[in-house]
């Protein structure tokens, strides 16, 4: 095995909402430049896991190590950590009162205090990269879902994160718009971005994932490379789940 | 039938007096709504805060203000503050400001809560602190949403300012009652002052609609 940095290391993670035990002793490693696809039924805890990794939710127990640093919400500057861990949401969450370019440069300007010429220049480059160079002055309400999600990806990338989390980035999209977003994500994967992706797009998993992780009822039940998981799942639950979506 | 010719004559004759009253009415309204907006925003934050103490302070404040008549509040200020040499104008303005602030607090609380929590999360996921994300992302959207009800509150405040007449602040309504009893033509002056209020309210309604139009769009 080649020696690559572990960018995300989750050990014995537990998370409950009140009495509801959502994540149960979850262990997960994501290596640098890896693309890990997380699948599982609705309610199995995929979003919760991602949100714990971005500290939008706090764990009850276990350790989360991001890029070699153990992150304890109580004594860590989470705003710094979140700058390194980008997040793309199912419902885009673009800032509706800002233009496309303003959406992208907001955090670099306000958080990193990047000079405005530089932020604009980098913002434009990112919009070009996601194929939306001509939309910089448009407000999000004028964009299609696929375009919105590509802006959201550019907005995250503007903070130059080391890791990108995607929570069902295409499930709010009309089917004909899914492809353009997946294409953008594949580009990112090819460039070596470390990615953890919750998706039901098995085509994407087959093509881009290094590892597929199957979650059931708050536990990671099975993981392996895509062909292994899709053609010879070991666990009966994985088989059943794949049966329902393939 | 009232005599139209006479009415027009009185209207024109009283115009300078009413214009003075109108300026004072506008001044009381604008200043009280401005102070009420600042205080209202503060109490909205109290209501939204995680602190039980701040919640309680805001709840009691809003309950008391909304649960007592405005005229009582104005007189409270009048008798409480006039002794300290504060003018009727300021007593009325502060009374109205206090009154407005309770309603405006609820307007802001509602508009802030109506912003999808994904907006704050998106900001924080980009490394913004909660307060920065509030300032840059949530509040600008909440203000836009608050604009129509704030405009409405302004119009209510404009009409409410007529209560200042009772503490002898010589705004519009005070001009009407004074002139009415001096000339024994109460109805004529009431009709005139009603026209002034109506025109003011219509003008502000137009203005608010214009502003809304300017800020419209940009919703997700
Ligand atoms: N803030 C919350 N408060 C209470 N319960 C929550 C909260 N967030 C999630 N849950 C519950 O935790 C469980 C896991 O939810 P989660 O959103 O992580 O599932 P998921 O795997 O992402 O599902 P989906 O495919 O539907 O998005 C669900 O039972 C959900 O109702
Ligand atoms: Mg989910």
């Amino acid at each position: 095995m080649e020696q690559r940095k572990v960018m995300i290391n989750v050990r014995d993670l537990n998370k409950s909402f009140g009495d509801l035990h959502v994540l149960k002793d979850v262990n997960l490693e994501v290596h640098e430049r890896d693309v890990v696809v997380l699948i599982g039924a609705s309610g199995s805890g995929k979003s919760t896991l991602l949100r714990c990794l971005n500290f939008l939710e706090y764990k009850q127990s276990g350790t989360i190590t991001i890029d070699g640093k153990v992150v304890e919400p109580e004594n860590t500057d989470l705003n710094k950590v979140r700058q390194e861990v980008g997040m793309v949401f199912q419902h885009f969450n673009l800032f509706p009162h800002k233009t496309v370019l303003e959406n992208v440069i907001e955090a670099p300007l306000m958080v990193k205090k990047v000079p405005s010429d530089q932020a604009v220049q980098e913002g434009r480059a990112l919009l070009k990269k996601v194929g939306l160079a001509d939309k910089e002055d448009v407000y999000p309400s004028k964009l299609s879902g696929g375009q919105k999600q590509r802006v959201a990806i550019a907005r995250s990338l503007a903070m130059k994160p080391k890791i990108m989390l995607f929570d069902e980035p295409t499930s709010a999209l009309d089917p004909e718009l899914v492809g353009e977003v997946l294409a953008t994500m594949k580009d990112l994967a090819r460039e070596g971005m470390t990615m953890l992706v919750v998706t039901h797009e098995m085509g994407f998993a087959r093509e881009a994932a290094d590892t597929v992780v199957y979650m059931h009822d708050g536990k990671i039940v099975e993981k392996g490379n895509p062909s292994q998981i899709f053609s010879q799942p070991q666990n009966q639950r994985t088989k059943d789940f794949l049966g329902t979506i393939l | 039938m009232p005599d139209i010719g006479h009415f027009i004559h009185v209207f024109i004759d009283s115009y300078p007096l009413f214009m003075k009253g109108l300026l004072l009415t506008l001044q009381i309204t604008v200043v009280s709504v401005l102070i009420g907006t600042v205080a209202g925003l503060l109490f909205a934050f109290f209501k939204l805060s995680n602190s039980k103490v701040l919640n309680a302070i805001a709840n009691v404040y809003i309950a008391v203000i909304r649960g007592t008549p405005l005229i009582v509040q104005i007189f409270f200020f009048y008798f409480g503050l006039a002794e300290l040499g504060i003018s009727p104008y300021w007593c009325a303005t502060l009374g109205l400001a206090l009154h407005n602030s309770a309603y405006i607090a609820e307007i802001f609380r509602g508009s802030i809560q109506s912003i999808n929590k994904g907006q704050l999360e998106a900001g924080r996921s980009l490394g913004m602190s909660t307060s920065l994300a509030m300032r840059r992302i949530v509040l600008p959207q909440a203000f836009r949403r608050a604009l129509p009800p704030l405009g409405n509150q302004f119009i209510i405040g404009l009409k409410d300012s007529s209560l200042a007449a009772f503490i002898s602040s010589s705004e519009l309504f005070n001009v009407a009652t004074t002139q009415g009893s001096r000339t024994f033509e109460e109805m004529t002056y009431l009709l005139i002052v009603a026209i002034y209020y109506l025109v003011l309210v219509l003008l502000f309604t137009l203005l608010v609609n214009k502003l809304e139009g300017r800020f419209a769009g940009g919703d997700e």
Side-chain angles (χ1 to χ4, degrees):
Chain A
M1 280 277 293
E2 54 180 321
Q3 282 297 311
R4 273 177 312 153
K5 259 207 289 191
V6 181
M7 293 301 285
I8 304 177
N9 195 349
V10 177
R11 288 288 144 235
D12 303 319
L13 181 68
N14 282 280
K15 168 72 191 171
S16 307
F17 293 107
D19 291 337
L20 186 68
H21 197 174
V22 177
L23 297 178
K24 301 165 184 166
D25 293 322
V26 169
N27 288 287
L28 179 71
E29 280 177 15
V30 180
H31 288 87
E32 192 170 26
R33 306 174 74 85
D34 258 5
V35 176
V36 173
V37 164
L38 186 58
I39 58 175
S42 179
S44 56
K46 308 178 297 293
S47 296
T48 305
L49 176 55
L50 251 55
R51 292 167 60 80
C52 283
L53 294 178
N54 202 16
F55 303 93
L56 291 174
E57 302 287 355
Y58 294 170
K59 66 186 164 64
Q60 262 82 36
S61 67
T63 53
I64 298 174
T65 312
I66 303 287
D67 192 17
K69 288 184 276 292
V70 176
V71 181
E72 288 297 340
E74 301 75 42
N75 53 26
T76 311
D77 181 356
L78 294 179
N79 299 330
K80 276 264 150 47
V81 178
R82 292 196 195 98
Q83 292 175 41
E84 320 243 285
V85 185
M87 176 115 168
V88 173
F89 302 88
Q90 182 175 1
H91 295 289
F92 330 122
N93 296 343
L94 290 182
F95 307 136
H97 59 305
K98 295 187 182 290
T99 64
V100 163
L101 183 62
E102 287 167 352
N103 263 274
V104 175
I105 64 179
E106 175 69 15
L109 284 178
M110 290 295 140
V111 179
K112 282 197 172 161
K113 312 277 184 217
V114 173
S116 92
D117 322 351
Q118 189 192 334
V120 166
Q121 203 185 332
E122 292 177 357
R124 287 195 173 127
L126 282 167
L127 287 174
K128 186 157 173 239
K129 181 184 163 112
V130 299
L132 293 171
D134 55 331
K135 298 286 186 199
E136 68 171 65
D137 292 325
V138 165
Y139 282 90
S141 57
K142 298 277 183 298
L143 299 177
S144 74
Q147 292 171 330
K148 283 182 191 170
Q149 197 58 298
R150 286 185 282 149
V151 174
I153 293 172
R155 180 178 68 175
S156 258
L157 292 175
M159 289 303 279
K160 306 195 169 94
K162 295 176 178 161
I163 300 165
M164 287 283 283
L165 308 174
F166 294 82
D167 192 358
E168 304 202 38
T170 60
S171 33
L173 300 180
D174 291 336
E176 72 272 19
L177 301 177
V178 169
E180 60 191 61
V181 172
L182 292 181
T184 303
M185 291 167 62
K186 283 176 205 162
D187 285 346
L188 260 188
R190 223 169 287 132
E191 287 166 20
M193 176 60 77
T194 306
M195 294 161 62
L196 178 56
V197 184
V198 175
T199 183
H200 293 130
E201 295 295 331
M202 294 306 141
F204 174 83
R206 276 216 177 83
E207 218 176 302
D210 300 285
T211 307
V212 174
V213 174
Y214 173 65
M215 229 174 139
H216 176 84
D217 194 20
K219 293 191 199 93
I220 289 181
V221 173
E222 186 162 357
K223 54 185 129 186
N225 65 49
S227 56
Q228 193 181 319
I229 296 279
F230 292 130
S231 30
Q232 304 138 3
Q234 302 301 305
N235 189 295
Q236 186 56 40
R237 292 229 159 81
T238 318
K239 280 180 205 163
D240 295 345
F241 176 73
L242 290 171
T244 63
I245 61 166
L246 286 181
Chain B
M1 264 306 277
D3 179 346
I4 300 280
H6 175 67
F7 179 80
I8 292 174
H9 180 76
V10 174
F11 193 102
I12 294 171
D13 254 11
S14 62
Y15 175 77
L17 268 179
F18 272 112
M19 276 326 265
K20 270 194 200 149
L22 184 139
L23 279 181
L24 196 59
T25 287
L26 282 181
Q27 208 175 323
I28 293 174
T29 309
V30 170
V31 175
S32 67
V33 169
L34 280 181
I35 298 175
T37 301
V38 175
L41 190 58
L42 185 75
F43 282 104
F45 283 134
F46 279 16
K47 273 208 90 156
L48 293 170
S49 136
N50 290 325
S51 153
K52 290 265 184 302
V53 178
L54 293 183
N55 294 164
I57 292 175
N59 285 336
V60 170
Y61 177 80
I62 291 170
V64 168
I65 299 295
R66 298 219 295 191
T68 53
L70 173 56
I71 189 73
V72 174
Q73 293 161 18
I74 290 176
F75 270 107
F76 216 81
F77 268 81
Y78 183 55
F79 289 114
L81 295 182
E83 275 175 43
L84 307 176
I86 291 176
S87 67
Y89 162 76
W90 273 108
C91 292
T93 303
L94 288 176
L96 274 162
L98 193 82
H99 188 75
N100 281 325
S101 70
Y103 290 89
I104 292 174
E106 288 293 354
I107 291 173
F108 279 135
R109 182 194 55 77
S111 71
I112 291 171
Q113 277 180 332
S114 77
I115 303 301
N116 188 323
K117 82 180 200 330
Q119 289 289 311
L120 187 65
E121 289 188 344
R124 289 176 59 212
S125 80
L126 291 165
M128 294 185 182
S129 64
T130 305
S131 66
L132 181 65
M134 266 314 242
R135 219 154 23 85
R136 298 284 307 178
I137 308 302
V138 177
L139 288 182
Q141 296 180 59
F143 274 124
R144 272 172 216 212
R145 245 174 239 188
L147 211 56
L150 278 179
N152 199 33
Q153 186 60 37
F154 185 89
I155 287 166
I156 294 172
L158 179 72
K159 290 185 287 177
D160 280 352
S161 71
S162 59
L163 291 176
F166 293 102
I167 57 170
S168 62
S169 176
S170 45
E171 46 63 72
L172 271 180
F173 189 59
N174 188 271
V175 172
T177 50
T178 319
Q179 289 306 102
S181 54
R182 197 176 58 80
T183 59
F184 302 107
E185 291 197 70
E186 281 89 353
M187 280 306 280
T188 309
Y189 281 99
L190 280 177
L191 200 58
I192 292 175
V193 81
I195 292 172
Y196 277 100
Y197 278 115
L198 183 62
V199 169
L200 276 180
V201 168
L202 290 177
L203 283 177
F204 276 108
T205 311
L206 264 177
L207 191 74
V208 170
N209 289 345
K210 265 237 160 65
L211 275 176
E212 261 177 66
R214 274 255 303 274
F215 283 106
D219 267 322
E220 252 182 316

